[in-house]
Amino acid sequence: MERSNLYILTETPSLANHYIAELRDIHVQGDSLRFRRNLERVGELLAYEISKTLPYETAQIKTPLAETETLLLTNQPVLATILRAGLPMYQGMLNYFDKAYSTFVGAYRVEEENTELQINMEYLASTDLHDKILILADPMLATGRSLVKSYKGMLRHGKPVQVHIAAAIASPEGIAHIRQEIPEAMIWLGALDNHLNEKSYIVPGLGDAGDLAFGPKI
Ligand SMILES: O=P(O)(O)OC[C@H]1O[C@H](OP(=O)(O)OP(=O)(O)O)[C@H](O)[C@@H]1O
Ligand SMILES: O=c1cc[nH]c(=O)[nH]1
Ligand SMILES: [Mg+2]
């Protein structure tokens, strides 16, 4: 795997490994509050890592005792996510980038026997993206088709100056698709897994993130 523009949180031993392990573990997954909170924590940790790469400028602030210099973000990023599984991870990002504006996309995989995977995109509400730093968070980067379709839809609202894609778990196939379709994107992962199965689920993965967070879809 080519490592340029790719960051993987669990390559460094840290508490992040516990959060991802709990997300995957069938003995913990029944606790949907913990599942959502662990996705939120991964969003928080990736937001912090991304924040180290953004542009900062010097600013003056006044304490009760004196004036002092500090570094502050030159511009706030825009946070985007894909409903519904993206919501907890998005919340984690928003906990850290607490002044950011947001973009929401409603997109989902239509998983039918013997037909090619389709992505339905039915909703897009966006702030202006022109010249913005865009962070697009979705927990599962499987084929990458939901992310690419959502990003292309968002471009109607302006061309970002930087694109960051954040996922809790990704497949090599998904990374390849993003690199082909959005070569300018920096990719931030919780973990990189082995492959996709015949239903385009990530293996070992964690199963269906949306269902585990919010209940089975009918
Ligand atoms: O990389 P892809 O092959 O496109 O798959 C990834 C998509 O699948 C999941 O959403 P899903 O379609 O299950 O919708 P949901 O959030 O309503 O569960 C996930 O949150 C991604 O958006
Ligand atoms: O493995 C996968 C693939 C798509 N969506 C999920 O929630 N999990
Ligand atoms: Mg789902």
Side-chain angles (χ1 to χ4, degrees):
M1 168 74 60
E2 164 60 48
R3 298 307 308 257
S4 59
N5 289 353
L6 179 65
Y7 171 87
I8 305 173
L9 189 58
T10 48
E11 282 185 341
T12 310
S14 80
L15 283 172
N17 291 271
H18 285 253
Y19 307 153
I20 303 268
E22 286 189 352
L23 286 170
R24 296 183 190 277
D25 188 337
I26 55 170
H27 301 297
V28 183
Q29 286 182 335
D31 182 352
S32 58
L33 174 65
R34 180 165 284 269
F35 187 84
R36 292 191 300 272
R37 179 62 189 128
N38 279 326
L39 283 179
E40 191 179 343
R41 295 203 270 204
V42 171
E44 288 170 349
L45 293 174
L46 289 178
Y48 182 64
E49 294 301 327
I50 293 171
S51 79
K52 296 177 189 172
T53 70
L54 301 183
Y56 288 78
E57 60 194 10
T58 308
Q60 292 284 328
I61 56 160
K62 198 164 161 10
T63 79
L65 305 182
E67 289 217 344
T68 187
E69 275 192 353
T70 187
L71 285 177
L72 296 178
L73 283 173
T74 308
N75 294 113
Q76 288 292 323
V78 173
L79 304 182
T81 198
I82 306 176
L83 307 174
R84 77 197 148 138
L87 283 173
M89 209 175 146
Y90 157 80
Q91 184 59 53
M93 295 244 160
L94 189 63
N95 292 347
Y96 277 34
F97 290 113
D98 52 56
K99 297 182 175 66
Y101 289 167
S102 298
T103 291
F104 297 97
V105 182
Y108 56 94
R109 304 180 354 152
V110 182
E111 296 164 3
E112 282 168 1
E113 292 289 323
N114 304 322
T115 57
E116 210 200 327
L117 187 72
Q118 300 286 324
I119 311 296
N120 274 7
M121 198 174 86
E122 294 177 354
Y123 177 80
L124 173 63
S126 188
T127 188
D128 180 16
L129 298 179
H130 183 69
D131 280 347
K132 298 287 176 10
I133 295 170
L134 176 67
I135 304 176
L136 176 47
D138 190 348
M140 307 306 281
L141 171 47
T143 64
R145 292 178 52 192
S146 302
L147 271 169
V148 168
K149 186 160 186 167
S150 300
Y151 176 69
K152 292 197 169 161
M154 286 177 210
L155 291 178
R156 293 202 294 272
H157 299 275
K159 176 95 174 97
V161 67
Q162 263 183 47
V163 185
H164 299 266
I165 289 178
I169 299 179
S171 71
E173 295 91 329
I175 302 289
H177 190 55
I178 298 291
R179 284 185 164 149
Q180 189 181 329
E181 298 292 327
I182 321 174
E184 67 276 25
M186 174 75 201
I187 301 171
W188 302 83
L189 303 180
L192 176 61
D193 276 10
N194 296 341
H195 64 277
L196 294 179
N197 69 11
E198 64 293 346
K199 292 188 169 165
S200 297
Y201 273 76
I202 301 172
V203 182
L206 52 71
D208 190 305
D211 287 2
L212 289 162
F214 299 116
K217 250 198 288 212
I218 53 165

